[in-house]
Amino acid sequence: MTLLIRRFLTDESGATAIEYGLIIALIFLVILASVQLFATNATALFDQVATAVGSAMGPSEEG
């Protein structure tokens, strides 16, 4: 019985799993922030291109 308790107290595999989980969570947050920043910048770029193309085409003759 004491051997079982001693082995349980010296076992660090649970702590290692928690550390890996925290590292994965931090990496996920960095990836999420990067994708959000890219999407914001891409949207702004597409808006600029649409404006430039629209002004290059001239006024619309519809109506």
Side-chain angles (χ1 to χ4, degrees):
M1 184 67 156
T2 58
L3 178 63
L4 181 64
I5 294 172
R6 188 178 309 143
R7 191 182 316 157
F8 176 75
L9 292 175
T10 59
D11 186 19
E12 296 183 4
S13 62
T16 303
I18 291 173
E19 290 170 355
Y20 283 136
L22 290 173
I23 290 170
I24 289 171
L26 288 174
I27 290 172
F28 173 75
L29 290 175
V30 169
I31 291 172
L32 187 66
S34 300
V35 168
Q36 184 176 3
L37 182 63
F38 173 77
T40 302
N41 290 338
T43 302
L45 178 64
F46 288 137
D47 287 342
Q48 285 179 345
V49 170
T51 302
V53 169
S55 63
M57 298 282 292
S60 175
E61 295 184 15
E62 292 180 10

